[in-house]
Amino acid sequence: MASASSTLIYYSPSSLTPNPRHFPIRRKHLAVSCASTFDPPPTNHSPPAPSPPPATATIHNIRDEARRHRQAHTFSAKYVPFGCDFNASESYSLDEIVYRSRSGGLLDVQHDMDALKKFDGAYWKNLFDSRVGKTTWPYGSGVWSKKEWVLPGIDSDHIVSAFEGNSNLFWAERFGKQFLGMDDLWVKHCGISHTGSFKDLGMTVLVSQVNRLCKMDRPLVGVGCASTGDTSAALSAYCAAAGIPSIVFLPADKISMAQLVQPIANGAFVLSIDTDFDGCMKLIREVTAELPIYLANSLNSLRLEGQKTAAVEILQQFDWEVPDWVIVPGGNLGNIYAFYKGFKMCHELGLVDRIPRLVCAQAANANPLYLYYKSGWKDFKAVKANNTFASAIQIGDPVSIDRAVYALKHSDGIVEEATEEELMDAMAQADSTGMFICPHTGVALTALTKLRNSGVIAPTDRTVVVSTAHGLKFTQSKIDYHSNDIPDMACRYANPPVQVKADFGSVMDVLKDYLQKN
């Protein structure tokens, strides 16, 4: 372990060339030892045999047990310019700190598909299914149960996981039948996760890789992100678990209190900045280009490797049957590509015979992708995002615009939008049928309603709506709606409490009136 402070030479994230600037840093949080062995899947075509019970005299925890069963493997992954395959002439190790290609474009994590194809689809299905619900480290996680498809080269000792994923695929029976005339509507509750949003799926991967880099003594002093709330919650929690400093740029007065308190409680260094998300994103990119702070936003394609596992999980939950439609809320637009990538990987490796059609749903107050789609993909323009109750997707200049367009074009996809009143009404309708969703899910449900009404989605189509965050993060918006306290909004499904005197007669009168109406 280093002493209280030391000096490092920083290597630029974009070029990895020496930068003559020196930074005094504190290293007390960062371990510097690194193991060199990896733990891949079995080398035959059947699911792995159950591990023998641990010998209590020598095995103390699930990490110790995992070390006993390491095996050699030939799987690998690396960064390549977005749109290129594994054999691209320009590529980077995942151990390099690099976010853009030499031309300034996006990077993508590509896997050695030839190595993965040595195992057939039945093998992968059996392997993934055998890990669900187990406590075997790290495979009890919905993300790390697909470790070979995520970060095949990372040692399990370096993984930082809260056993995220494995989230509920909820049959929205009443909502589907009552409001849409559908019998096969499902809601993937990604918000039922460690920090209450789908961002955990990507952050466990990114922070695990940072943990690996720290133990390789790479020059990093922390991890930073710009956030509309959920990214900062996930980053701060996983960094806290690993003992790695986290730095968060938040737009002042533009996120819910529940979202703000999470990084604070997890010990992040939080900067509340007088700008919007796009302004915060510009600043964090400038800062991470100058300081040895690892960038955690979805510009970093490591995050998408974790997020794509939600698509694989949906297929697992349908016993490897493919839904007709998957609808995803879109802000910075990395998630729609992540879902495409997960479905595409399952198709390419023989687990399924097709991929679903994708829909990206945007708030009308922050809808650059929708406008681009309506122009026939001819003229993309960033917009100034206006305030929306779907605050996590209040983004006017999305980093992953190219990824989203690629995913939609290759899945015969559609983009829809939702006004503020539409998304809040949809949220209230869903809540009235037993869900408790976020406003962003209201955006996705609005898109579904419009596509059902226009006949694009048939009543018999199996449809999955991705719910990105837990409704408890957005209680104030629900309070305002049900209090009829939102200017210029009818709040048609408001359900405020009834004030009644504390006597039997008054209570009976109110109850009789209610029962007669229902």
Side-chain angles (χ1 to χ4, degrees):
M1 200 63 118
S3 59
S5 64
S6 59
T7 302
L8 62 86
I9 298 177
Y10 173 52
Y11 288 79
S12 165
S14 59
S15 64
L16 295 179
T17 54
N19 184 323
R21 301 180 186 182
H22 289 65
F23 298 92
I25 62 170
R26 295 192 175 274
R27 301 286 297 277
K28 65 179 181 179
H29 294 288
L30 306 182
V32 295
S33 63
C34 177
S36 60
T37 54
F38 308 133
D39 47 345
T43 54
N44 54 47
H45 289 253
S46 58
S51 300
T56 55
T58 57
I59 303 302
H60 304 291
N61 58 48
I62 57 177
R63 285 187 186 270
D64 292 334
E65 177 65 13
R67 294 185 191 108
R68 298 179 65 210
H69 302 287
R70 289 174 173 156
Q71 297 170 328
H73 73 91
T74 58
F75 304 138
S76 62
K78 59 187 177 182
Y79 297 120
V80 300
F82 178 73
C84 296
D85 63 20
F86 185 79
N87 297 312
S89 58
E90 180 185 354
S91 66
Y92 306 89
S93 164
L94 298 186
D95 291 337
E96 295 184 62
I97 302 171
V98 55
Y99 312 118
R100 291 280 194 180
S101 69
R102 285 195 290 265
S103 66
L106 295 169
L107 292 173
D108 199 14
V109 175
Q110 284 291 330
H111 292 257
D112 183 351
M113 298 299 287
D114 290 337
L116 293 172
K117 286 177 181 177
K118 291 178 182 178
F119 300 84
D120 61 20
Y123 167 80
W124 290 116
K125 288 192 282 188
N126 289 335
L127 179 65
F128 295 161
D129 287 346
S130 74
R131 293 168 171 172
V132 174
K134 304 297 194 301
T135 58
T136 306
W137 183 265
Y139 304 121
S141 158
V143 172
W144 296 108
S145 64
K146 289 87 176 169
K147 179 176 182 287
E148 297 80 10
W149 291 18
V150 177
L151 286 186
I154 193 169
D155 192 297
S156 287
D157 276 354
H158 298 159
I159 289 174
V160 184
S161 173
F163 276 23
E164 51 289 307
N166 296 321
S167 58
N168 180 26
L169 184 60
F170 173 77
W171 182 30
E173 179 183 17
R174 185 179 163 207
F175 184 90
K177 290 179 177 178
Q178 181 174 337
F179 297 111
L180 298 168
M182 300 179 73
D183 289 326
D184 210 359
L185 174 63
W186 302 78
V187 176
K188 179 64 170 168
H189 281 296
C190 294
I192 302 175
S193 188
H194 181 55
T195 71
S197 88
F198 78 95
K199 299 294 178 72
D200 292 345
L201 304 179
M203 209 57 75
T204 181
V205 176
L206 184 140
V207 174
S208 294
Q209 179 64 12
V210 171
N211 194 37
R212 169 181 166 83
L213 295 176
C214 291
K215 292 181 178 182
M216 295 170 68
D217 202 20
R218 292 299 175 88
L220 292 171
V221 295
V223 189
C225 74
S227 178
T228 50
D230 292 332
T231 299
S232 64
L235 175 65
S236 60
Y238 283 88
C239 281
I244 297 171
S246 58
I247 300 152
V248 172
F249 288 17
L250 293 176
D253 304 320
K254 290 184 174 65
I255 68 171
S256 74
M257 188 58 66
Q259 291 172 298
L260 173 61
V261 76
Q262 286 184 283
I264 291 173
N266 285 133
F269 183 62
V270 179
L271 285 73
S272 180
I273 302 175
D274 186 21
T275 184
D276 57 11
F277 171 82
D278 295 310
C280 288
M281 188 68 213
K282 179 176 182 293
L283 286 168
I284 194 70
R285 287 173 64 180
E286 291 172 348
V287 166
T288 54
E290 294 295 322
L291 294 175
I293 297 169
Y294 196 84
L295 179 64
N297 284 98
S298 57
L299 173 65
N300 188 320
S301 51
L302 278 176
R303 288 253 311 272
L304 307 185
E305 292 307 289
Q307 289 164 211
K308 78 183 181 188
T309 63
V312 185
E313 219 171 84
I314 288 171
L315 297 175
Q316 278 185 285
Q317 289 168 313
F318 283 134
D319 198 20
W320 302 101
E321 293 182 1
V322 181
D324 297 298
W325 297 89
V326 175
I327 304 175
V328 184
N332 221 12
L333 301 180
N335 210 29
I336 188 74
Y337 177 67
F339 271 84
Y340 169 78
K341 197 172 185 184
F343 289 127
K344 179 64 176 175
M345 210 163 174
C346 287
H347 182 221
E348 191 170 350
L349 291 172
L351 285 75
V352 296
D353 60 0
R354 63 186 178 90
I355 66 173
R357 293 186 69 182
L358 298 180
V359 177
C360 190
Q362 290 208 293
N365 281 2
N367 63 349
L369 180 67
Y370 175 77
L371 296 175
Y372 191 25
Y373 171 77
K374 297 299 285 187
S375 76
W377 305 122
K378 293 178 181 177
D379 185 24
F380 174 75
K381 294 180 180 177
V383 302
K384 174 66 175 175
N386 295 315
N387 289 337
T388 171
F389 284 102
S391 57
I393 57 175
Q394 186 178 317
I395 298 169
D397 191 11
V399 166
S400 292
I401 179 66
D402 293 341
R403 292 171 175 149
V405 173
Y406 183 93
L408 291 162
K409 286 183 176 180
H410 286 80
S411 64
D412 193 17
I414 294 173
V415 187
E416 258 298 350
E417 67 172 357
T419 67
E420 294 302 288
E421 188 154 10
E422 288 171 338
L423 72 89
M424 292 298 284
D425 282 346
M427 180 177 70
Q429 287 177 311
D431 289 352
S432 74
T433 65
M435 290 184 266
F436 195 71
I437 62 170
C438 62
H440 318 84
T441 311
V443 174
L445 288 172
T446 298
L448 169 60
T449 299
K450 290 181 175 181
L451 293 171
R452 270 290 299 118
N453 290 342
S454 65
V456 175
I457 294 181
T460 56
D461 285 350
R462 173 169 284 180
T463 303
V464 177
V465 170
V466 177
S467 180
T468 55
H470 201 292
L472 285 172
K473 288 192 172 191
F474 301 92
T475 52
Q476 189 59 53
S477 66
K478 294 176 184 285
I479 291 168
D480 292 343
Y481 183 93
H482 289 288
S483 301
N484 286 288
D485 199 26
I486 302 176
D488 303 319
M489 188 176 292
C491 302
R492 291 185 295 157
Y493 304 99
N495 183 32
V498 177
Q499 300 295 322
V500 60
K501 294 180 181 179
D503 65 76
F504 177 76
S506 298
V507 170
M508 287 296 290
D509 289 343
V510 168
L511 285 174
K512 287 178 181 178
D513 182 60
Y514 169 76
L515 293 172
Q516 286 174 354
K517 292 178 180 178
N518 292 276

